[in-house]
Amino acid sequence: MILSLKHKIENITAVGKRIAPALKKLGVLTAEELLNYFPFRYEDWSQVKKIEEVEAGTTATVKGQIEIIQNKRSQWKKRLVTEAIVSDETESIKAIWFHQPYLTKNLRPGDQLFLSGKVEDKIGELQFVHPNYEKVSRYKQEMTHTARIVPIYSLTKSVTEKQLRYVMSQVIGLATYLKDWLPESVIKKNNLLPLSQAVRQIHFPNDQQNLNRALERIKFDELFTVQMRSGLAKRALQQTLAQKIEFKEKETKKFVASLPYSLTKAQKITGWEIIKDLGRNKPMNRLLEGDVGSGKTIVACLAILNTVLNHEQCAYMAPTEILARQHYENITKLFAGWPIKIALLTGADKRANIAIKDDKEIYKLITAGKLDLVIGTHALIQAKVNFDKLALVIIDEQHRFGVGQRKALKQKNNDGTIPHLLSMTATPIPRSLALTAYGDLDLSVINEMPPGRKEIKTEIVPPERRPEKYKFVLEQIKAGRQAFVICPLIDPSDKLGVKAVKEEYEKLDKKIFPDLPIGLMHGKLKPQEKEKVMRDFLETKTKIMVSTPVIEVGIDVPNSTMILIESAERFGLAQLHQFRGRVGRSQEQSYCFLFTESNNVEAIRRLQTLAQCKNGFELAERDLEFRGPGEVYGIRQSGYNDQLKVAKLTDYIIIKKSKTAVEEILAQDEKLNQYPLIRERLKKFELEVHWE
Ligand code: ADP
Ligand code: MG
């Protein structure tokens, strides 16, 4: 049978009926897709040793001849064991495999073979336990499972590494027919391997150097593609129109002067960047990045004020109902005395700062253009929400939204304009990462905190020091402060953590602080109940609020200066930093207590990092070291990580090179008329991406 790249996998003889369904599950339908299914790591078995050089406790590859091979029952557990004695000119060694009796049919005394695997010392005798084995072929290059750098794929249960490697070895020859979609000039300038060679080497590398070059080429391709995509998106956006928002200088100054504090320098700079963007007739697409508590809301308000004074509408989307309500209440207060009509729109809670008959009227007023600012949750993207003239969309904690949800709000207006978009995130993504991950966004960074904030004292608290901390909390509360207690979701059957948080509440309420009023917050409460819990806490009617992680983002209760996090080791660094950001919002000294019973070295090290690192950006860099960029909070949700199968956001040099290549191409041919293969690749990429 002559194979082609388009060949369906079930028609490839080597694949067979049994493996085809497993491959389909992995999203592999054709020979070409199989070639594009890259290993996620490698085992280097390329060094072939003499048997006498092999040492216990190491891994090794040897080449030898089978002397004896037979099946046995082990004495202990009656397991079926295949034992072989293999020797070379220096020594012989035993190899054992469990539950593979058919081996004696494939391997015969006299066969020359390679063994690769772990060598153990069994009562003074060395042996290979479950090694990879492969008969010696004439050319070393032809070895698939041993005596080479061996690819390891991520697989489902119904296919083994060995099976997939075999199938891959049968189709790898097709790599020759892959069309190289990168322009020759880019390949030359960046000294890249041609595509077919890179694909061949990424599966079956000749050596480490070739593997590195293959990886570099494939990474380049991935990073080139995402950057080309955002480059095009950015250009496309420039082709569209937005409402020009005239800067109302006098009113803006008056508003700023009415605040109980002065804006920080960073707030002024970022505010000005945004106002300048709004003043153009091209849609703004800006990410406002600032650490937790750095004061992003007020910067957004400057944009809102100017938009509304231009008689245009704004939408403000927050990820949780609690946060949306908080914004509604705070922003309504901030704009008291200004002619700004504001509504709150969440699934269960709808209201406005003007008289309305019922919920339905809110939708009507939005459509009639009679509400200036609508603050809400995902409820804002329902079909029945139709703005008359939406000029500004603000997305708070944007990393909590899917790309699709973010896009949905950017509807077109009747006059054909597109709203300006301001995304905000407290997830401090290192700048280099942000620029790649959100390549089509402009970036504004608030790089300082409001003055007078004290460093939050962060401490890891082992069980024996709990009583001492509770005593401290009680004293602080008596001095007028308040505290949050965060409980993780412990029991998987308890998806919303309701059980865990109730237990904690009972304990604190009955045993630890019987004299204090305590509130209980979780996602299962009705909206009115949530609101009451929040309000009681804000008005200091309750002194402690026990909560599930629902209050992770955005919540602002400046008088609460303590946060106690239960089983802190269960949370990621960025998430812990977000929790910690709930306190330290006033001039009082704040505290973050990380309760943990864990002795896990890695976990403790992570918590220590949090205790030492107060700056979110620094923390994000450290997080990056701990977990790699794929896991860093915010990036994972960017819809971006899916597309980087091999490349990492820390591949700075390749990021830079591919970005330059993209810019050069777009500068010269922004429609990609001369690059049909790039267009084709982008189209495919668009289909594969999971934009949620
Ligand atoms: P975040 O950036 O996390 O969204 P917020 O906008 O919620 O932060 O602001 C945090 C707190 O800081 C709020 O209580 C807000 O009123 C206050 N704040 C904002 N800007 C300043 C400032 N320049 N000086 C003092 N306090 C400020
Ligand atoms: Mg915020």
Side-chain angles (χ1 to χ4, degrees), residues 246-253 275 305-306 309-310:
E246 190 192 315
F247 176 38
K248 301 285 182 182
E249 189 173 353
K250 206 173 83 215
E251 290 87 344
T252 306
K253 281 192 171 146
I275 284 169
L305 180 71
N306 279 280
L309 293 178
N310 276 265

Side-chain angles (χ1 to χ4, degrees), residues 213 361 509 671:
R213 294 204 61 205
E361 200 183 347
D509 194 47
K671 294 255 165 349

Side-chain angles (χ1 to χ4, degrees), residues 261-264 267 291-297 450 453 556 585:
Y261 45 77
S262 12
L263 294 181
T264 62
Q267 284 172 318
D291 209 343
V292 202
S294 62
K296 293 182 291 293
T297 319
R453 297 268 172 89
D556 187 37
R585 297 185 156 241

